[in-house]
Amino acid sequence: MSTSTSPELAAPHPLKAGDSFPDGVKFTYVPYTPEKEAITSCGVPQQFNASQEFANKKAVLVAVPGAFTPGCSVRHLPGFIDHLSEIKSKGVDVVAVIAFNDPWVMSAWAKANGIKDEILFMTDIDTRFSKDIGWTKGDRAGRYAMIIDHGKITYAQNEPGGDVTVSGVDAVLKAL
């Protein structure tokens, strides 16, 4: 299952503020359920139609190269968890984290961080979306952040190096 049903682009098309969020973008995730709360419990992956879901909501989309990696688990994700109420207070309906990992790994990463359904942990399968926009690190998703406000991108930044700067929570909060 790919994350995007759009045809493969001839060349990557980076997104920027002012662009519309593309049609046909889909991710997969394992929704939280109390009966599958244990980190070793597996749920059934479901499709998340980001294009439809973000069309009428304000969303923060954060991409990381991989779940459980030091940069992502120590420097990138914790800020979004720690400042979630502040992010939500700025009218954000959905906070989503994507990576190339499969939906079960992403679900386990959410559980390991004490997240139920406050943040969606989703899979950019085959890194299709990240490849379409040209923001990858090898075969993995790159490290980037976007703010989508009712289908329009108001912020889109890809990390220029290995640090967490333009895709971190401080930059996102400033842009909100």
Side-chain angles (χ1 to χ4, degrees):
M1 178 183 313
S2 75
T3 58
S4 174
T5 57
S6 62
E8 188 73 29
L9 297 175
H13 178 70
L15 297 173
K16 62 187 180 314
D19 289 346
S20 293
F21 192 77
D23 290 328
V25 177
K26 296 177 181 160
F27 304 117
T28 56
Y29 76 116
V30 176
Y32 170 81
T33 59
E35 58 275 2
K36 299 289 185 189
E37 187 171 33
I39 197 167
T40 56
S41 297
C42 298
V44 177
Q46 294 183 16
Q47 193 172 78
F48 180 89
N49 187 326
S51 300
Q52 286 181 356
E53 292 292 328
F54 297 165
N56 296 308
K57 294 179 180 149
K58 189 171 187 179
V60 171
L61 178 65
V62 180
V64 298
F68 293 105
T69 61
C72 304
S73 291
V74 175
R75 295 186 330 226
H76 205 174
L77 179 63
F80 288 93
I81 294 170
D82 294 344
H83 293 279
L84 185 59
S85 61
E86 188 177 352
I87 293 167
K88 295 278 189 153
S89 76
K90 294 185 179 279
V92 173
D93 302 299
V94 177
V95 177
V97 177
I98 62 170
F100 88 110
N101 301 94
D102 68 50
W104 296 283
V105 169
M106 294 301 287
S107 175
W109 196 32
K111 293 172 186 178
N113 281 283
I115 300 298
K116 295 179 180 174
D117 57 4
E118 307 91 351
I119 298 173
L120 300 177
F121 283 69
M122 301 190 290
T123 301
D124 185 1
I125 294 184
D126 298 327
T127 322
R128 179 67 183 263
F129 176 68
S130 297
K131 286 177 183 173
D132 282 353
I133 64 172
W135 289 353
T136 59
K137 290 194 177 295
D139 291 335
R140 295 174 178 246
R143 186 180 305 285
Y144 59 87
M146 291 182 192
I147 299 170
I148 303 103
D149 193 349
H150 293 80
K152 287 286 185 191
I153 297 169
T154 61
Y155 181 83
Q157 293 292 321
N158 184 31
E159 288 294 347
D163 285 337
V164 177
T165 58
V166 297
S167 69
V169 72
D170 292 336
V172 170
L173 280 169
K174 186 176 179 181
L176 284 168

